[in-house]
């Protein structure tokens, strides 16, 4: 068995500060790199990307770069090449545009599936369809294994389609968990498929709970938004927060144990753990607030946005967050 390790509060705070500093630097970088790419998409077209759309792309890119791609490369002793960096930017553009095909009803499901499997044959109508086609084709032209990316995007499509069950309050709890985890995990795998080095099986096993916890965290933070949109998730439909927390922490322990068993440097495993749990820790804090807020409330629709949204900007919350990250990294 591998030796266990303990991450100190100082190491946790130091790493989170470094990550925060890097995110600020990346804001400047992406605001220089992204506009020329988007202008090329817009050239000769009637439409343009909105400011809201660009912000989503930047968030998608930062998540893909820091939490998914770079953290894993660092763990395994690799560095992202310039070509891989550019592919991740294209992926950051493609992700939100592809989601919009579903969310905004731009295409029906058979059309989305046909586009996913054979993008060259897709006839785009309007700027949104043209932009997502160009992003997809440009990405496919630059990846090492084109069919690998297509296969993973098709899996994402299938789970996006399955997630329509979340519009019905009759969906079973286990099915809801399955959709939550599989949809997120397939998105992780899609992101890795654009890189030069795809994760080995032992890493893929570790990443399954990591991806699921990330989507659960998102669902916990988005309770108000999902209620307004008529979307049912584990936290807003079943509301058994003791059970949710128990399952959440069980997956944290599973992730940590699989991480420790990997044959990489202890220092890099600690850094990976802090990075991946930085978001999970926010989910824990939001879950605790949600449990307190909704304890005696019959319907979540009775609560305001201010009551359901977890504010992470105060100094007190940031201190709680750092301590929670340390707790998660060392858990189990």
């Amino acid at each position: 068995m591998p030796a266990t390790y303990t991450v100190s509060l100082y190491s946790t705070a130091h790493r989170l500060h470094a990550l925060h500093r890097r995110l600020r630097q990346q804001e400047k970088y992406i605001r220089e790199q992204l506009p020329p790419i988007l202008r090329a998409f817009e050239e000769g077209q009637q439409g343009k990307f909105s400011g809201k759309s660009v912000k989503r792309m930047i968030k998608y890119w930062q998540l893909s770069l820091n939490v998914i791609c770079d953290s894993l490369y660092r763990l395994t002793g690799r560095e992202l090449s310039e070509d891989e960096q550019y592919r991740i930017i294209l992926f950051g553009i493609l992700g939100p545009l592809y989601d919009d095909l579903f969310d905004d009803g731009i295409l029906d499901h058979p059309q989305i599936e046909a586009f996913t499997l054979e993008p060259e044959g897709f006839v785009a109508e309007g700027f949104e369809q043209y932009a997502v086609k160009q992003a997809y084709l440009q990405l496919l032209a630059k990846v090492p294994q084109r069919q690998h990316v297509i296969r993973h995007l098709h899996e994402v499509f299938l789970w996006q389609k399955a997630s329509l069950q979340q519009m019905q309050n009759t969906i079973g709890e286990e099915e809801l968990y399955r959709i939550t985890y599989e949809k997120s995990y397939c998105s992780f795998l899609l992101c890795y498929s654009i890189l030069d080095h795809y994760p080995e099986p032992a890493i893929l096993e570790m990443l399954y709970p990591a991806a699921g916890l990330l989507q659960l965290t998102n669902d916990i933070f988005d309770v108000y938004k999902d209620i307004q949109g008529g979307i049912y998730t584990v936290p807003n439909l079943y509301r058994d927060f003791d059970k949710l927390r128990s399952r959440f922490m069980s997956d944290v322990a599973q992730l940590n144990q699989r991480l420790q068993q990997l044959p990489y440097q202890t220092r890099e495993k600690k850094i990976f753990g802090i990075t991946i749990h930085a978001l999970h820790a926010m989910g824990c804090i939001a879950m605790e607030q949600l449990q307190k807020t909704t304890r005696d409330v019959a319907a979540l629709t009775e609560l305001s946005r201010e009551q359901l949204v977890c504010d992470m900007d105060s100094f007190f919350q940031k201190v709680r967050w750092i301590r929670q990250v340390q707790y998660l990294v060392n858990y189990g």
Side-chain angles (χ1 to χ4, degrees):
M1 291 291 292
T4 58
Y5 53 78
T6 301
V7 178
S8 69
L9 184 62
Y10 172 80
S11 295
T12 304
H14 179 74
R15 177 57 191 165
L16 291 174
H17 176 71
L19 183 60
H20 175 71
R21 186 171 66 247
R22 185 181 183 195
L23 289 173
R24 290 180 65 91
Q25 293 169 345
Q26 287 174 354
E27 285 281 349
K28 181 179 179 181
Y29 167 81
I30 196 63
R31 292 190 185 280
E32 293 173 351
Q33 299 294 320
L34 188 58
I37 300 173
L38 297 184
R39 282 198 296 270
F41 284 9
E42 294 170 342
E43 188 174 354
Q45 300 300 310
Q46 296 296 319
K48 290 187 177 296
F49 296 105
S50 67
K52 182 179 178 181
S53 180
V54 173
K55 286 182 180 179
R56 287 176 62 212
M57 291 174 186
I58 292 175
K59 287 183 178 180
Y60 207 101
W61 168 76
Q62 285 188 321
L63 178 66
S64 302
L65 174 63
N66 295 294
V67 177
I68 301 177
C69 295
D70 187 66
S71 62
L72 188 63
Y73 259 37
R74 175 162 186 164
L75 173 66
T76 57
R78 296 188 175 98
E79 289 187 11
L80 292 166
S81 67
E82 287 188 16
D83 285 344
E84 288 172 311
Q85 295 267 12
Y86 185 74
R87 287 177 224 155
I88 296 170
I89 294 177
L90 287 176
F91 186 77
I93 297 171
L94 174 63
L97 296 179
Y98 191 81
D99 289 344
D100 287 345
L101 297 180
F102 288 87
D103 300 340
D104 296 345
I106 295 173
L107 296 174
D108 61 30
H109 292 159
Q111 289 175 316
I112 298 174
E113 186 168 27
F115 164 68
T116 302
L117 295 173
E118 297 182 2
E120 284 85 357
F122 175 72
V123 179
E125 298 180 2
F127 178 68
E128 292 85 357
Q129 296 181 29
Y130 171 82
V132 71
K133 179 179 179 179
Q134 291 305 307
Y136 192 20
L137 290 178
Q138 288 189 28
L139 182 60
L140 289 176
K142 294 182 178 299
V143 296
Q145 298 184 56
R146 168 192 166 93
Q147 288 304 318
H148 200 197
V149 176
I150 291 175
R151 178 169 63 85
H152 279 308
L153 185 58
H154 187 238
E155 290 171 350
V156 169
F157 160 78
L158 293 174
W159 284 106
Q160 284 271 41
K161 186 178 176 181
S163 70
L164 290 177
Q165 296 178 59
Q166 293 182 249
M167 305 297 288
Q168 305 293 329
N169 63 4
T170 54
I171 184 172
E173 186 174 6
E174 285 307 312
E175 181 64 11
L176 195 47
Y177 265 110
R178 191 167 78 97
I179 291 172
T180 300
Y181 275 56
E182 291 289 349
K183 183 171 66 172
S184 183
Y185 183 57
C186 286
S187 295
F188 268 56
L189 300 187
L190 172 62
C191 194
Y192 291 129
S193 72
I194 73 172
L195 302 179
D196 292 338
H197 304 279
Y198 193 74
E200 60 188 48
I203 292 178
L204 294 177
E205 289 182 5
M206 175 199 67
L207 290 171
Y208 187 81
L213 289 168
L214 190 62
Q215 185 59 50
L216 272 181
T217 292
N218 185 68
D219 291 343
I220 293 165
F221 262 89
D222 283 351
V223 163
Y224 179 78
K225 175 184 171 184
D226 288 338
I227 290 171
Q228 300 305 307
I231 299 172
Y232 294 99
T233 63
V234 173
N236 76 32
L237 179 59
Y238 286 97
R239 291 175 56 181
D240 185 342
F241 294 107
D242 290 332
K243 182 179 179 181
L244 174 58
R245 180 173 180 81
S246 176
R247 188 156 181 168
F248 194 102
M249 297 308 298
S250 176
D251 284 338
V252 168
Q254 184 181 78
L255 189 166
N256 290 344
Q257 290 160 8
R258 291 177 178 176
L259 174 61
Q260 289 200 15
Q261 290 168 3
L262 294 175
Y264 302 116
Q265 296 292 325
T266 297
R267 179 176 181 272
E268 300 308 326
K269 288 193 280 190
K270 289 180 178 181
I271 290 174
F272 180 86
I274 293 170
T275 303
I276 201 75
H277 285 312
L279 293 175
H280 301 155
M282 293 182 185
C284 287
I285 293 172
M287 186 174 9
E288 183 179 330
Q289 175 183 309
L290 197 59
Q291 184 172 19
K292 291 178 180 178
T293 304
T294 62
R295 181 172 295 149
D296 300 317
V297 178
L300 294 182
T301 52
E302 298 175 10
L303 299 175
S304 66
R305 182 182 186 279
E306 289 71 22
Q307 290 173 298
L308 290 175
V309 174
C310 183
D311 180 12
M312 294 296 299
D313 291 334
S314 72
F315 175 78
F316 172 72
Q317 285 287 71
K318 288 176 181 178
V319 172
R320 283 186 67 199
W321 172 58
I322 294 171
R323 291 186 179 279
Q324 186 67 50
V325 174
Q326 184 205 15
Y327 177 73
L328 294 186
V329 172
N330 293 316
Y331 185 80

